Amino acid sequence: MKKWDLTLPSLCGMFEKHFMLGNIASPGDLDVPEFEQMYRHHYNAVTAENVMKPVYITSAPGVYDFSEADRIVEWAEKNKITMIGHTLVWHGQSAPWLNRSADESPLTRAEAKANMEEFIKTYVSRYSGKIYSWDVINEAFIDSGYEEEYTGNWRDYIRRETDNPLAVGHWYLAYANGAGAGEHGSDYIFDAYYFTRKYDPKAILYYNEYNEEFHHKCTAIPQMVNEINEMWRNHPEYDGRLLIEGIGMQGHYNHEFIDIEKIRATIESFSKTGAKISVTEMDFTHGSNKEPAAPLTAEQSKNLTEMYATLFKLYTEYSSHIERVSFWGIDDERSWRSWGSPLLFDVNSQAKEAFHEVASIFA
């Protein structure tokens, strides 16, 4: 483990009056004293990078493995770090038994609903009271439609059939299989939140999405949140709280596609739902993962520095709506987008100029 400079200003300390400051961790990190010291210095919230995703929790009906998730949750509890649950219902990294038959055909609506409840009950009940918030549903909306006129109905943009097997909306297809009058494949969304509230009533329930500032998502997500919350208000078990209490903006940005004014407009759009907002998986790349990794040029480093400073100024401006900002990676070497040098710490875990520029906001 590389040595971290703990004389640097604390990131979470900088922003303690504005929002929580988080990052990710994996079980292999937890036994390394340097990692724990660094983490406690800079971050006060943690998301498991992978081991709490559905496929790592269950592989078959009645078969669950919580060993790695337990380690993360116990570590967070021991270190008084806020634990974020990620994620329960997702088209990716999920065991087929939840919504598909052995031949990949969709289960019936009734079968999928029963499996969803059994999975969520088993999972979230185990950690009830230990998880601050759950990313209940991750990435439910399609990627296409950016240039098309919005239809006015968020349900038109929920994932379903696609040529890409990794992007198929299996929950939608199962819920559509046997849907009756007035029912729809997208009804799985309400059920996912209802079951999570039922079995972990104290946790804050989030919806999490990427490319969230693109037009159809920026429009459809708050429409969906408002409609689900209105359905909940009319539900016999309504508890006086919103059902979807938070919206996660992943914040995976690239220098060619980032538009600060669109991000601002998205924050404003989401805030009108009354839900909290979190930036859940932030990083900022240069180049493309189709190109060989290379050190940033001086111009790219300057751009990275300016952009992180701009983003954090924007987030603090809207801190009355934003409750957390989390990075997705502790340094460039271990980032899932390492090819793009996306973080505040380089491959040697040393602070970049971008770190110091962010720190200067509060100097």
Side-chain angles (χ1 to χ4, degrees), residues 4-15 21 23 38 41-43 301-302 304-309 312 327 330 342-346 349-363:
W4 291 82
D5 181 0
L6 300 185
T7 67
L8 290 169
S10 161
L11 282 169
C12 62
M14 294 179 207
F15 295 100
L21 207 290
N23 212 316
M38 174 278 299
H41 182 67
H42 283 304
Y43 308 107
S301 294
K302 182 173 183 283
L304 180 100
T305 298
E306 292 174 348
M307 193 53 62
Y308 266 119
F312 273 97
F327 292 94
I330 62 169
L343 299 165
L344 297 184
F345 296 92
D346 65 18
S349 303
Q350 299 304 298
K352 298 178 185 177
E353 183 57 35
F355 175 96
H356 297 291
E357 188 66 20
V358 169
S360 75
I361 296 171
F362 301 98

mmCIF file of all heavy atoms in Angstrom, residues 4-15 21 23 38 41-43 301-302 304-309 312 327 330 342-346 349-363:
data_model
loop_
_atom_site.group_PDB
_atom_site.id
_atom_site.type_symbol
_atom_site.label_atom_id
_atom_site.label_comp_id
_atom_site.label_asym_id
_atom_site.label_seq_id
_atom_site.Cartn_x
_atom_site.Cartn_y
_atom_site.Cartn_z
ATOM 1 N N TRP A 4 0.136 7.524 2.140
ATOM 2 C CA TRP A 4 -0.706 8.684 1.884
ATOM 3 C C TRP A 4 -0.222 9.844 2.744
ATOM 4 O O TRP A 4 0.164 9.652 3.899
ATOM 5 C CB TRP A 4 -2.155 8.355 2.223
ATOM 6 C CG TRP A 4 -2.765 7.362 1.288
ATOM 7 C CD1 TRP A 4 -2.639 6.006 1.333
ATOM 8 C CD2 TRP A 4 -3.591 7.653 0.169
ATOM 9 N NE1 TRP A 4 -3.336 5.426 0.306
ATOM 10 C CE2 TRP A 4 -3.929 6.426 -0.429
ATOM 11 C CE3 TRP A 4 -4.076 8.835 -0.400
ATOM 12 C CZ2 TRP A 4 -4.738 6.334 -1.558
ATOM 13 C CZ3 TRP A 4 -4.875 8.755 -1.521
ATOM 14 C CH2 TRP A 4 -5.204 7.516 -2.092
ATOM 15 N N ASP A 5 -0.287 11.035 2.182
ATOM 16 C CA ASP A 5 0.107 12.228 2.914
ATOM 17 C C ASP A 5 -1.072 12.711 3.748
ATOM 18 O O ASP A 5 -1.977 13.382 3.245
ATOM 19 C CB ASP A 5 0.545 13.316 1.923
ATOM 20 C CG ASP A 5 1.005 14.586 2.620
ATOM 21 O OD1 ASP A 5 0.991 14.614 3.871
ATOM 22 O OD2 ASP A 5 1.376 15.543 1.919
ATOM 23 N N LEU A 6 -1.056 12.385 5.017
ATOM 24 C CA LEU A 6 -2.161 12.738 5.887
ATOM 25 C C LEU A 6 -2.008 14.129 6.500
ATOM 26 O O LEU A 6 -2.808 14.535 7.344
ATOM 27 C CB LEU A 6 -2.323 11.690 6.994
ATOM 28 C CG LEU A 6 -2.609 10.268 6.489
ATOM 29 C CD1 LEU A 6 -2.877 9.331 7.661
ATOM 30 C CD2 LEU A 6 -3.771 10.244 5.513
ATOM 31 N N THR A 7 -0.987 14.861 6.047
ATOM 32 C CA THR A 7 -0.899 16.274 6.436
ATOM 33 C C THR A 7 -1.731 17.148 5.505
ATOM 34 O O THR A 7 -1.908 18.349 5.781
ATOM 35 C CB THR A 7 0.564 16.771 6.416
ATOM 36 O OG1 THR A 7 1.053 16.779 5.064
ATOM 37 C CG2 THR A 7 1.445 15.878 7.283
ATOM 38 N N LEU A 8 -2.237 16.567 4.416
ATOM 39 C CA LEU A 8 -3.112 17.313 3.515
ATOM 40 C C LEU A 8 -4.411 17.675 4.225
ATOM 41 O O LEU A 8 -4.850 16.965 5.136
ATOM 42 C CB LEU A 8 -3.443 16.471 2.284
ATOM 43 C CG LEU A 8 -2.321 16.195 1.285
ATOM 44 C CD1 LEU A 8 -2.776 15.129 0.289
ATOM 45 C CD2 LEU A 8 -1.907 17.469 0.561
ATOM 46 N N PRO A 9 -5.056 18.754 3.809
ATOM 47 C CA PRO A 9 -6.378 19.056 4.363
ATOM 48 C C PRO A 9 -7.333 17.886 4.141
ATOM 49 O O PRO A 9 -7.263 17.198 3.117
ATOM 50 C CB PRO A 9 -6.825 20.291 3.573
ATOM 51 C CG PRO A 9 -5.576 20.875 3.015
ATOM 52 C CD PRO A 9 -4.625 19.734 2.795
ATOM 53 N N SER A 10 -8.205 17.666 5.077
ATOM 54 C CA SER A 10 -9.187 16.595 4.984
ATOM 55 C C SER A 10 -10.303 17.000 4.016
ATOM 56 O O SER A 10 -10.922 18.057 4.166
ATOM 57 C CB SER A 10 -9.784 16.323 6.366
ATOM 58 O OG SER A 10 -11.001 15.624 6.263
ATOM 59 N N LEU A 11 -10.578 16.151 3.035
ATOM 60 C CA LEU A 11 -11.651 16.452 2.089
ATOM 61 C C LEU A 11 -13.001 16.564 2.801
ATOM 62 O O LEU A 11 -13.749 17.510 2.584
ATOM 63 C CB LEU A 11 -11.717 15.368 1.010
ATOM 64 C CG LEU A 11 -10.673 15.437 -0.095
ATOM 65 C CD1 LEU A 11 -10.699 14.151 -0.922
ATOM 66 C CD2 LEU A 11 -10.895 16.651 -0.994
ATOM 67 N N CYS A 12 -13.321 15.581 3.630
ATOM 68 C CA CYS A 12 -14.617 15.651 4.304
ATOM 69 C C CYS A 12 -14.666 16.809 5.286
ATOM 70 O O CYS A 12 -15.733 17.392 5.525
ATOM 71 C CB CYS A 12 -14.965 14.327 4.981
ATOM 72 S SG CYS A 12 -13.847 13.788 6.282
ATOM 73 N N GLY A 13 -13.506 17.171 5.835
ATOM 74 C CA GLY A 13 -13.469 18.318 6.709
ATOM 75 C C GLY A 13 -13.762 19.614 5.970
ATOM 76 O O GLY A 13 -14.440 20.507 6.495
ATOM 77 N N MET A 14 -13.251 19.708 4.740
ATOM 78 C CA MET A 14 -13.513 20.910 3.934
ATOM 79 C C MET A 14 -15.008 21.139 3.732
ATOM 80 O O MET A 14 -15.488 22.267 3.758
ATOM 81 C CB MET A 14 -12.878 20.770 2.543
ATOM 82 C CG MET A 14 -11.389 20.711 2.478
ATOM 83 S SD MET A 14 -10.917 20.527 0.732
ATOM 84 C CE MET A 14 -9.350 19.685 0.886
ATOM 85 N N PHE A 15 -15.718 20.038 3.501
ATOM 86 C CA PHE A 15 -17.115 20.150 3.087
ATOM 87 C C PHE A 15 -18.113 19.815 4.184
ATOM 88 O O PHE A 15 -19.302 19.644 3.920
ATOM 89 C CB PHE A 15 -17.356 19.239 1.871
ATOM 90 C CG PHE A 15 -16.593 19.666 0.656
ATOM 91 C CD1 PHE A 15 -15.411 19.028 0.307
ATOM 92 C CD2 PHE A 15 -17.030 20.718 -0.121
ATOM 93 C CE1 PHE A 15 -14.685 19.429 -0.808
ATOM 94 C CE2 PHE A 15 -16.323 21.129 -1.238
ATOM 95 C CZ PHE A 15 -15.147 20.480 -1.580
ATOM 96 N N LEU A 21 -18.824 13.610 2.254
ATOM 97 C CA LEU A 21 -17.849 13.386 1.195
ATOM 98 C C LEU A 21 -17.446 11.908 1.265
ATOM 99 O O LEU A 21 -16.937 11.443 2.288
ATOM 100 C CB LEU A 21 -16.638 14.288 1.400
ATOM 101 C CG LEU A 21 -15.793 14.719 0.195
ATOM 102 C CD1 LEU A 21 -15.015 13.552 -0.385
ATOM 103 C CD2 LEU A 21 -16.657 15.364 -0.893
ATOM 104 N N ASN A 23 -16.440 7.872 -0.800
ATOM 105 C CA ASN A 23 -15.675 7.152 -1.817
ATOM 106 C C ASN A 23 -16.071 5.679 -1.732
ATOM 107 O O ASN A 23 -17.028 5.330 -1.032
ATOM 108 C CB ASN A 23 -14.169 7.334 -1.616
ATOM 109 C CG ASN A 23 -13.399 7.312 -2.934
ATOM 110 O OD1 ASN A 23 -13.645 6.476 -3.801
ATOM 111 N ND2 ASN A 23 -12.466 8.240 -3.077
ATOM 112 N N MET A 38 -6.106 6.725 5.810
ATOM 113 C CA MET A 38 -6.406 7.644 4.723
ATOM 114 C C MET A 38 -7.899 7.868 4.614
ATOM 115 O O MET A 38 -8.371 9.009 4.479
ATOM 116 C CB MET A 38 -5.860 7.085 3.405
ATOM 117 C CG MET A 38 -6.227 7.867 2.152
ATOM 118 S SD MET A 38 -7.893 7.518 1.466
ATOM 119 C CE MET A 38 -7.757 5.767 1.083
ATOM 120 N N HIS A 41 -9.417 9.994 7.257
ATOM 121 C CA HIS A 41 -8.956 11.378 7.126
ATOM 122 C C HIS A 41 -9.787 12.144 6.084
ATOM 123 O O HIS A 41 -10.157 13.302 6.320
ATOM 124 C CB HIS A 41 -7.485 11.391 6.718
ATOM 125 C CG HIS A 41 -6.883 12.765 6.597
ATOM 126 N ND1 HIS A 41 -6.698 13.597 7.674
ATOM 127 C CD2 HIS A 41 -6.451 13.461 5.506
ATOM 128 C CE1 HIS A 41 -6.159 14.739 7.262
ATOM 129 N NE2 HIS A 41 -6.008 14.688 5.955
ATOM 130 N N HIS A 42 -10.080 11.477 4.954
ATOM 131 C CA HIS A 42 -10.674 12.197 3.824
ATOM 132 C C HIS A 42 -12.177 11.986 3.633
ATOM 133 O O HIS A 42 -12.829 12.819 3.002
ATOM 134 C CB HIS A 42 -9.978 11.803 2.525
ATOM 135 C CG HIS A 42 -8.638 12.458 2.347
ATOM 136 N ND1 HIS A 42 -8.458 13.826 2.374
ATOM 137 C CD2 HIS A 42 -7.402 11.915 2.120
ATOM 138 C CE1 HIS A 42 -7.181 14.105 2.176
ATOM 139 N NE2 HIS A 42 -6.515 12.973 2.030
ATOM 140 N N TYR A 43 -12.739 10.880 4.143
ATOM 141 C CA TYR A 43 -14.103 10.532 3.771
ATOM 142 C C TYR A 43 -14.939 10.150 4.996
ATOM 143 O O TYR A 43 -14.439 9.545 5.939
ATOM 144 C CB TYR A 43 -14.100 9.361 2.769
ATOM 145 C CG TYR A 43 -13.181 9.620 1.592
ATOM 146 C CD1 TYR A 43 -11.969 8.948 1.470
ATOM 147 C CD2 TYR A 43 -13.514 10.562 0.615
ATOM 148 C CE1 TYR A 43 -11.111 9.193 0.407
ATOM 149 C CE2 TYR A 43 -12.664 10.827 -0.445
ATOM 150 C CZ TYR A 43 -11.462 10.138 -0.541
ATOM 151 O OH TYR A 43 -10.611 10.402 -1.595
ATOM 152 N N SER A 301 -4.125 18.458 -17.559
ATOM 153 C CA SER A 301 -4.060 18.617 -16.099
ATOM 154 C C SER A 301 -4.696 19.931 -15.675
ATOM 155 O O SER A 301 -5.410 19.986 -14.659
ATOM 156 C CB SER A 301 -2.600 18.573 -15.629
ATOM 157 O OG SER A 301 -2.044 17.299 -15.846
ATOM 158 N N LYS A 302 -4.454 20.980 -16.454
ATOM 159 C CA LYS A 302 -5.062 22.276 -16.161
ATOM 160 C C LYS A 302 -6.578 22.192 -16.280
ATOM 161 O O LYS A 302 -7.319 22.721 -15.439
ATOM 162 C CB LYS A 302 -4.516 23.325 -17.126
ATOM 163 C CG LYS A 302 -5.024 24.745 -16.903
ATOM 164 C CD LYS A 302 -4.270 25.713 -17.807
ATOM 165 C CE LYS A 302 -4.702 27.157 -17.564
ATOM 166 N NZ LYS A 302 -5.992 27.464 -18.182
ATOM 167 N N LEU A 304 -8.430 19.438 -15.920
ATOM 168 C CA LEU A 304 -8.921 18.636 -14.797
ATOM 169 C C LEU A 304 -9.032 19.491 -13.543
ATOM 170 O O LEU A 304 -10.036 19.437 -12.817
ATOM 171 C CB LEU A 304 -7.976 17.454 -14.555
ATOM 172 C CG LEU A 304 -8.363 16.524 -13.411
ATOM 173 C CD1 LEU A 304 -9.044 15.266 -13.956
ATOM 174 C CD2 LEU A 304 -7.161 16.123 -12.575
ATOM 175 N N THR A 305 -8.018 20.293 -13.290
ATOM 176 C CA THR A 305 -8.001 21.163 -12.117
ATOM 177 C C THR A 305 -9.150 22.154 -12.159
ATOM 178 O O THR A 305 -9.900 22.316 -11.177
ATOM 179 C CB THR A 305 -6.657 21.904 -12.043
ATOM 180 O OG1 THR A 305 -5.604 20.947 -11.902
ATOM 181 C CG2 THR A 305 -6.631 22.880 -10.868
ATOM 182 N N GLU A 306 -9.312 22.810 -13.277
ATOM 183 C CA GLU A 306 -10.373 23.808 -13.408
ATOM 184 C C GLU A 306 -11.755 23.179 -13.294
ATOM 185 O O GLU A 306 -12.660 23.756 -12.673
ATOM 186 C CB GLU A 306 -10.224 24.538 -14.741
ATOM 187 C CG GLU A 306 -8.985 25.425 -14.817
ATOM 188 C CD GLU A 306 -8.780 26.026 -16.205
ATOM 189 O OE1 GLU A 306 -9.457 25.575 -17.160
ATOM 190 O OE2 GLU A 306 -7.940 26.947 -16.323
ATOM 191 N N MET A 307 -11.913 21.982 -13.871
ATOM 192 C CA MET A 307 -13.236 21.368 -13.872
ATOM 193 C C MET A 307 -13.635 20.883 -12.486
ATOM 194 O O MET A 307 -14.786 21.071 -12.066
ATOM 195 C CB MET A 307 -13.288 20.218 -14.877
ATOM 196 C CG MET A 307 -14.695 19.729 -15.163
ATOM 197 S SD MET A 307 -15.826 21.063 -15.666
ATOM 198 C CE MET A 307 -15.031 21.623 -17.179
ATOM 199 N N TYR A 308 -12.703 20.276 -11.749
ATOM 200 C CA TYR A 308 -13.050 19.845 -10.395
ATOM 201 C C TYR A 308 -13.390 21.050 -9.512
ATOM 202 O O TYR A 308 -14.339 21.002 -8.715
ATOM 203 C CB TYR A 308 -11.916 19.036 -9.769
ATOM 204 C CG TYR A 308 -12.081 17.545 -9.953
ATOM 205 C CD1 TYR A 308 -11.141 16.785 -10.637
ATOM 206 C CD2 TYR A 308 -13.208 16.885 -9.452
ATOM 207 C CE1 TYR A 308 -11.303 15.419 -10.813
ATOM 208 C CE2 TYR A 308 -13.374 15.523 -9.626
ATOM 209 C CZ TYR A 308 -12.417 14.794 -10.307
ATOM 210 O OH TYR A 308 -12.590 13.433 -10.481
ATOM 211 N N ALA A 309 -12.642 22.133 -9.664
ATOM 212 C CA ALA A 309 -12.945 23.327 -8.881
ATOM 213 C C ALA A 309 -14.320 23.878 -9.245
ATOM 214 O O ALA A 309 -15.108 24.255 -8.365
ATOM 215 C CB ALA A 309 -11.873 24.390 -9.111
ATOM 216 N N PHE A 312 -17.085 21.544 -7.738
ATOM 217 C CA PHE A 312 -17.282 21.669 -6.289
ATOM 218 C C PHE A 312 -17.851 23.027 -5.906
ATOM 219 O O PHE A 312 -18.606 23.131 -4.931
ATOM 220 C CB PHE A 312 -15.990 21.352 -5.540
ATOM 221 C CG PHE A 312 -15.843 19.885 -5.268
ATOM 222 C CD1 PHE A 312 -15.088 19.069 -6.107
ATOM 223 C CD2 PHE A 312 -16.494 19.303 -4.193
ATOM 224 C CE1 PHE A 312 -14.978 17.711 -5.872
ATOM 225 C CE2 PHE A 312 -16.395 17.937 -3.946
ATOM 226 C CZ PHE A 312 -15.632 17.138 -4.788
ATOM 227 N N PHE A 327 -16.711 10.095 -4.631
ATOM 228 C CA PHE A 327 -15.854 9.710 -5.755
ATOM 229 C C PHE A 327 -15.984 8.212 -5.994
ATOM 230 O O PHE A 327 -16.322 7.441 -5.097
ATOM 231 C CB PHE A 327 -14.393 10.043 -5.442
ATOM 232 C CG PHE A 327 -14.095 11.511 -5.378
ATOM 233 C CD1 PHE A 327 -14.127 12.187 -4.164
ATOM 234 C CD2 PHE A 327 -13.788 12.213 -6.525
ATOM 235 C CE1 PHE A 327 -13.844 13.542 -4.091
ATOM 236 C CE2 PHE A 327 -13.511 13.573 -6.465
ATOM 237 C CZ PHE A 327 -13.538 14.240 -5.253
ATOM 238 N N ILE A 330 -10.213 5.747 -5.255
ATOM 239 C CA ILE A 330 -9.391 6.518 -4.314
ATOM 240 C C ILE A 330 -8.160 7.111 -4.989
ATOM 241 O O ILE A 330 -7.612 8.099 -4.511
ATOM 242 C CB ILE A 330 -8.992 5.684 -3.087
ATOM 243 C CG1 ILE A 330 -8.149 4.479 -3.497
ATOM 244 C CG2 ILE A 330 -10.218 5.264 -2.302
ATOM 245 C CD1 ILE A 330 -7.502 3.782 -2.322
ATOM 246 N N PRO A 342 -8.664 10.000 -13.755
ATOM 247 C CA PRO A 342 -9.899 10.732 -13.459
ATOM 248 C C PRO A 342 -10.044 11.345 -12.076
ATOM 249 O O PRO A 342 -11.043 12.025 -11.821
ATOM 250 C CB PRO A 342 -10.952 9.639 -13.620
ATOM 251 C CG PRO A 342 -10.257 8.400 -13.160
ATOM 252 C CD PRO A 342 -8.827 8.551 -13.594
ATOM 253 N N LEU A 343 -9.087 11.151 -11.168
ATOM 254 C CA LEU A 343 -9.350 11.471 -9.763
ATOM 255 C C LEU A 343 -8.425 12.567 -9.226
ATOM 256 O O LEU A 343 -7.600 13.106 -9.966
ATOM 257 C CB LEU A 343 -9.236 10.190 -8.934
ATOM 258 C CG LEU A 343 -10.240 9.101 -9.345
ATOM 259 C CD1 LEU A 343 -9.861 7.756 -8.754
ATOM 260 C CD2 LEU A 343 -11.650 9.508 -8.928
ATOM 261 N N LEU A 344 -8.581 12.879 -7.953
ATOM 262 C CA LEU A 344 -7.770 13.928 -7.328
ATOM 263 C C LEU A 344 -6.397 13.422 -6.907
ATOM 264 O O LEU A 344 -5.513 14.229 -6.595
ATOM 265 C CB LEU A 344 -8.489 14.494 -6.097
ATOM 266 C CG LEU A 344 -9.825 15.196 -6.328
ATOM 267 C CD1 LEU A 344 -10.350 15.768 -5.016
ATOM 268 C CD2 LEU A 344 -9.705 16.301 -7.374
ATOM 269 N N PHE A 345 -6.215 12.086 -6.882
ATOM 270 C CA PHE A 345 -4.943 11.493 -6.498
ATOM 271 C C PHE A 345 -4.401 10.659 -7.661
ATOM 272 O O PHE A 345 -5.154 9.914 -8.297
ATOM 273 C CB PHE A 345 -5.110 10.626 -5.249
ATOM 274 C CG PHE A 345 -5.521 11.407 -4.027
ATOM 275 C CD1 PHE A 345 -6.857 11.566 -3.696
ATOM 276 C CD2 PHE A 345 -4.560 12.003 -3.214
ATOM 277 C CE1 PHE A 345 -7.245 12.295 -2.575
ATOM 278 C CE2 PHE A 345 -4.936 12.730 -2.085
ATOM 279 C CZ PHE A 345 -6.281 12.888 -1.768
ATOM 280 N N ASP A 346 -3.108 10.756 -7.918
ATOM 281 C CA ASP A 346 -2.512 10.089 -9.077
ATOM 282 C C ASP A 346 -2.212 8.617 -8.797
ATOM 283 O O ASP A 346 -2.613 8.075 -7.752
ATOM 284 C CB ASP A 346 -1.270 10.846 -9.541
ATOM 285 C CG ASP A 346 -0.122 10.834 -8.518
ATOM 286 O OD1 ASP A 346 -0.126 9.979 -7.604
ATOM 287 O OD2 ASP A 346 0.778 11.690 -8.641
ATOM 288 N N SER A 349 -0.809 7.770 -5.493
ATOM 289 C CA SER A 349 -1.617 8.240 -4.369
ATOM 290 C C SER A 349 -1.219 9.631 -3.887
ATOM 291 O O SER A 349 -1.489 9.999 -2.734
ATOM 292 C CB SER A 349 -1.555 7.242 -3.191
ATOM 293 O OG SER A 349 -1.973 5.969 -3.605
ATOM 294 N N GLN A 350 -0.594 10.384 -4.766
ATOM 295 C CA GLN A 350 -0.202 11.745 -4.427
ATOM 296 C C GLN A 350 -1.256 12.738 -4.925
ATOM 297 O O GLN A 350 -1.835 12.562 -5.992
ATOM 298 C CB GLN A 350 1.158 12.081 -5.048
ATOM 299 C CG GLN A 350 2.276 11.181 -4.553
ATOM 300 C CD GLN A 350 2.416 11.193 -3.043
ATOM 301 O OE1 GLN A 350 2.704 12.237 -2.453
ATOM 302 N NE2 GLN A 350 2.229 10.046 -2.407
ATOM 303 N N ALA A 351 -1.486 13.768 -4.134
ATOM 304 C CA ALA A 351 -2.497 14.757 -4.487
ATOM 305 C C ALA A 351 -2.084 15.517 -5.747
ATOM 306 O O ALA A 351 -0.941 15.969 -5.870
ATOM 307 C CB ALA A 351 -2.704 15.734 -3.341
ATOM 308 N N LYS A 352 -3.033 15.649 -6.668
ATOM 309 C CA LYS A 352 -2.803 16.434 -7.877
ATOM 310 C C LYS A 352 -3.086 17.914 -7.581
ATOM 311 O O LYS A 352 -3.648 18.270 -6.534
ATOM 312 C CB LYS A 352 -3.739 15.960 -8.985
ATOM 313 C CG LYS A 352 -3.574 14.522 -9.420
ATOM 314 C CD LYS A 352 -4.608 14.209 -10.498
ATOM 315 C CE LYS A 352 -4.585 12.757 -10.901
ATOM 316 N NZ LYS A 352 -5.633 12.442 -11.900
ATOM 317 N N GLU A 353 -2.745 18.738 -8.551
ATOM 318 C CA GLU A 353 -3.057 20.158 -8.419
ATOM 319 C C GLU A 353 -4.560 20.349 -8.254
ATOM 320 O O GLU A 353 -5.013 21.284 -7.580
ATOM 321 C CB GLU A 353 -2.555 20.925 -9.631
ATOM 322 C CG GLU A 353 -2.780 22.433 -9.549
ATOM 323 C CD GLU A 353 -2.155 23.067 -8.308
ATOM 324 O OE1 GLU A 353 -1.071 22.606 -7.874
ATOM 325 O OE2 GLU A 353 -2.756 24.015 -7.771
ATOM 326 N N ALA A 354 -5.347 19.454 -8.865
ATOM 327 C CA ALA A 354 -6.809 19.543 -8.735
ATOM 328 C C ALA A 354 -7.241 19.463 -7.276
ATOM 329 O O ALA A 354 -8.170 20.147 -6.849
ATOM 330 C CB ALA A 354 -7.483 18.445 -9.548
ATOM 331 N N PHE A 355 -6.577 18.602 -6.497
ATOM 332 C CA PHE A 355 -6.886 18.513 -5.064
ATOM 333 C C PHE A 355 -6.652 19.866 -4.394
ATOM 334 O O PHE A 355 -7.500 20.360 -3.635
ATOM 335 C CB PHE A 355 -6.018 17.441 -4.404
ATOM 336 C CG PHE A 355 -6.184 17.362 -2.912
ATOM 337 C CD1 PHE A 355 -7.051 16.449 -2.343
ATOM 338 C CD2 PHE A 355 -5.487 18.222 -2.066
ATOM 339 C CE1 PHE A 355 -7.230 16.389 -0.961
ATOM 340 C CE2 PHE A 355 -5.654 18.176 -0.692
ATOM 341 C CZ PHE A 355 -6.527 17.255 -0.138
ATOM 342 N N HIS A 356 -5.499 20.453 -4.667
ATOM 343 C CA HIS A 356 -5.155 21.705 -4.012
ATOM 344 C C HIS A 356 -6.078 22.843 -4.450
ATOM 345 O O HIS A 356 -6.404 23.727 -3.642
ATOM 346 C CB HIS A 356 -3.700 22.050 -4.295
ATOM 347 C CG HIS A 356 -2.727 21.040 -3.739
ATOM 348 N ND1 HIS A 356 -2.523 20.884 -2.388
ATOM 349 C CD2 HIS A 356 -1.957 20.117 -4.360
ATOM 350 C CE1 HIS A 356 -1.636 19.923 -2.182
ATOM 351 N NE2 HIS A 356 -1.277 19.442 -3.367
ATOM 352 N N GLU A 357 -6.520 22.797 -5.691
ATOM 353 C CA GLU A 357 -7.439 23.829 -6.158
ATOM 354 C C GLU A 357 -8.793 23.688 -5.484
ATOM 355 O O GLU A 357 -9.428 24.688 -5.108
ATOM 356 C CB GLU A 357 -7.601 23.748 -7.680
ATOM 357 C CG GLU A 357 -8.381 24.871 -8.300
ATOM 358 C CD GLU A 357 -7.684 26.230 -8.192
ATOM 359 O OE1 GLU A 357 -6.444 26.259 -7.989
ATOM 360 O OE2 GLU A 357 -8.377 27.255 -8.292
ATOM 361 N N VAL A 358 -9.262 22.450 -5.301
ATOM 362 C CA VAL A 358 -10.504 22.236 -4.562
ATOM 363 C C VAL A 358 -10.349 22.721 -3.122
ATOM 364 O O VAL A 358 -11.225 23.392 -2.569
ATOM 365 C CB VAL A 358 -10.919 20.755 -4.596
ATOM 366 C CG1 VAL A 358 -12.059 20.465 -3.620
ATOM 367 C CG2 VAL A 358 -11.330 20.337 -6.021
ATOM 368 N N ALA A 359 -9.206 22.416 -2.514
ATOM 369 C CA ALA A 359 -8.953 22.855 -1.135
ATOM 370 C C ALA A 359 -8.923 24.372 -1.028
ATOM 371 O O ALA A 359 -9.336 24.951 -0.009
ATOM 372 C CB ALA A 359 -7.658 22.259 -0.623
ATOM 373 N N SER A 360 -8.454 25.032 -2.094
ATOM 374 C CA SER A 360 -8.342 26.491 -2.034
ATOM 375 C C SER A 360 -9.687 27.192 -2.004
ATOM 376 O O SER A 360 -9.768 28.373 -1.643
ATOM 377 C CB SER A 360 -7.529 26.998 -3.244
ATOM 378 O OG SER A 360 -8.308 26.946 -4.444
ATOM 379 N N ILE A 361 -10.770 26.468 -2.373
ATOM 380 C CA ILE A 361 -12.111 27.039 -2.306
ATOM 381 C C ILE A 361 -12.408 27.523 -0.895
ATOM 382 O O ILE A 361 -13.106 28.514 -0.678
ATOM 383 C CB ILE A 361 -13.167 26.009 -2.755
ATOM 384 C CG1 ILE A 361 -12.970 25.652 -4.228
ATOM 385 C CG2 ILE A 361 -14.586 26.515 -2.508
ATOM 386 C CD1 ILE A 361 -13.829 24.495 -4.700
ATOM 387 N N PHE A 362 -11.832 26.829 0.104
ATOM 388 C CA PHE A 362 -12.140 27.127 1.500
ATOM 389 C C PHE A 362 -10.955 27.785 2.222
ATOM 390 O O PHE A 362 -10.972 27.931 3.438
ATOM 391 C CB PHE A 362 -12.531 25.847 2.226
ATOM 392 C CG PHE A 362 -13.709 25.171 1.608
ATOM 393 C CD1 PHE A 362 -13.551 24.111 0.724
ATOM 394 C CD2 PHE A 362 -14.997 25.623 1.866
ATOM 395 C CE1 PHE A 362 -14.642 23.498 0.131
ATOM 396 C CE2 PHE A 362 -16.084 25.025 1.266
ATOM 397 C CZ PHE A 362 -15.911 23.969 0.399
ATOM 398 N N ALA A 363 -9.939 28.150 1.426
ATOM 399 C CA ALA A 363 -8.752 28.772 2.052
ATOM 400 C C ALA A 363 -9.094 30.161 2.604
ATOM 401 O O ALA A 363 -9.951 30.858 2.079
ATOM 402 C CB ALA A 363 -7.663 28.870 1.023
#
